[in-house]
Amino acid sequence: PSPQPTPTVPPEETEVHRFDISSPGAPAYVASGKVPGRLLNQYSLSEHEGHLRVATTLTSEDGAKSSSTVYVLKADTLAKTGEVGGLGEGERIYSVRFIGAVGYCVTFKQVDPLYTLDLSDPAAPRVTGELKITGYSAYLHPGNTGRLIGIGQEASEKGRTLGTQISLFDVSDPVSPRRLSQFFQKDSGSEAEWDPHAFLYWPKTGMSVIPLSGQTESGALVLKIDDSGVSKVGMIKHPVQEQGENAYQPGIQRSMVIGDSLWTLSYEGLQVNDATSLAERAWIPLR
């Protein structure tokens, strides 16, 4: 019998397709391209001045090796213009954010390098700076000029997660990013790590709100983030709910500012608090 071909694992890659939806009717196909590795989420893609930036992590077949790269593709043809690789050897991307011609990438396994990237020359993107700290940021949000907010987990030097951390980074000097301030809540987690809609940042006052679930309490953590640091303002909690012989604290999913009020939403209802003092104004049960 003829020898059977040895099966091979297909390369880990991501295909990118571009469609034109500017005219009424069916979308028109424009171009396709592909890059090695896998995307983390929607923030791994960003179009800027005729180029598409794509951040991926490529893992070896046996899972023993990994590395991340930012590729720059021509937006109209999706042909590769440039790339910068070697980010987080042995780690994977935990968060990415592109802001204009600058990119920020966090990789993690035991420590968290925050890389700053200069993407102003599409043909020659480059790493300009690196900050190594414990833990990681799973979501990056632009703050005031020269500031970047990170939401994630603090971790031990061996990579064991310890609880929610909110970091304020000074990225005004792309060569030397640094952390200005950190708020840490032991043994807790936040939905904002994987769902950016759960995070509220109000630039007018610096108020920030994230859902927080911990061993002792659940609610919405209210912080003030200004140019110099992160400080706790308070914790909003929805009324304890009775369920037979048990009682529980509803977890808050969303928050928004309306006028001078801060509204928060849980599966049990809506609560209205004063946006400055956090004094409770109203509770609107949903059932």
Side-chain angles (χ1 to χ4, degrees):
S2 58
Q4 295 297 310
T6 303
T8 57
V9 177
E12 186 181 50
E13 57 188 17
T14 297
E15 294 184 348
V16 184
H17 306 285
R18 185 180 183 90
F19 296 88
D20 183 350
I21 57 172
S22 59
S23 302
Y29 171 77
V30 177
S32 293
K34 60 184 177 182
V35 295
R38 294 188 180 187
L39 305 180
L40 174 67
N41 55 28
Q42 71 266 39
Y43 295 101
S44 301
L45 289 167
S46 168
E47 192 170 336
H48 179 68
E49 295 183 349
H51 286 86
L52 179 69
R53 291 82 63 88
V54 187
T56 68
T57 295
L58 179 64
T59 305
S60 63
E61 194 178 313
D62 59 4
K65 297 179 181 178
S66 62
S67 182
S68 299
T69 304
V70 174
Y71 298 92
V72 182
L73 311 180
K74 195 90 164 51
D76 53 357
T77 64
L78 297 180
K80 189 176 81 172
T81 303
E83 68 178 83
V84 54
L87 307 178
E89 296 283 351
E91 303 175 342
R92 69 174 178 86
I93 290 176
Y94 267 64
S95 57
V96 188
R97 196 74 193 231
F98 296 103
I99 304 172
V102 180
Y104 303 99
C105 182
V106 168
T107 62
F108 177 75
K109 187 174 184 182
Q110 289 183 314
V111 292
D112 159 11
L114 167 69
Y115 295 97
T116 54
L117 306 166
D118 179 357
L119 306 170
S120 56
D121 180 355
R126 61 193 182 94
V127 173
T128 54
E130 178 183 344
L131 171 67
K132 282 192 175 181
I133 51 177
T134 54
Y136 63 82
S137 296
Y139 174 61
L140 297 171
H141 192 89
N144 290 337
T145 303
R147 298 293 183 267
L148 187 69
I149 301 165
I151 298 168
Q153 287 277 311
E154 176 62 289
S156 68
E157 291 185 358
K158 292 185 177 180
R160 186 175 70 85
T161 55
L162 303 173
T164 298
Q165 73 169 352
I166 295 90
S167 300
L168 178 66
F169 300 103
D170 179 354
V171 291
S172 56
D173 180 359
V175 174
S176 110
R178 61 194 182 102
R179 183 160 67 183
L180 290 176
S181 182
Q182 174 205 33
F183 177 85
F184 171 58
Q185 185 76 31
K186 188 179 179 182
D187 298 329
S188 66
S190 176
E191 190 175 330
E193 280 194 49
W194 62 88
D195 189 345
H197 296 104
F199 177 62
L200 169 67
Y201 174 61
W202 198 246
K204 185 178 177 181
T205 62
M207 180 177 70
S208 302
V209 185
I210 69 165
L212 200 69
S213 299
Q215 292 182 343
T216 57
E217 60 180 359
S218 292
L221 175 66
V222 183
L223 303 166
K224 181 175 177 61
I225 302 178
D226 56 25
D227 280 349
S228 59
V230 182
S231 56
K232 182 177 178 178
V233 177
M235 186 88 164
I236 291 176
K237 298 178 184 178
H238 284 191
V240 172
Q241 303 294 307
E242 304 291 338
Q243 194 173 52
E245 297 180 358
N246 300 316
Y248 68 95
Q249 189 91 51
I252 293 173
Q253 277 79 42
R254 297 288 185 272
S255 56
M256 66 185 298
V257 174
I258 302 177
D260 61 354
S261 297
L262 175 63
W263 289 62
T264 50
L265 169 72
S266 69
Y267 287 116
E268 302 300 335
L270 286 156
Q271 186 166 299
V272 187
N273 291 68
D274 184 280
T276 304
S277 68
L278 302 188
E280 186 180 337
R281 290 179 170 176
W283 166 250
I284 307 163
L286 293 178
R287 45 184 158 179

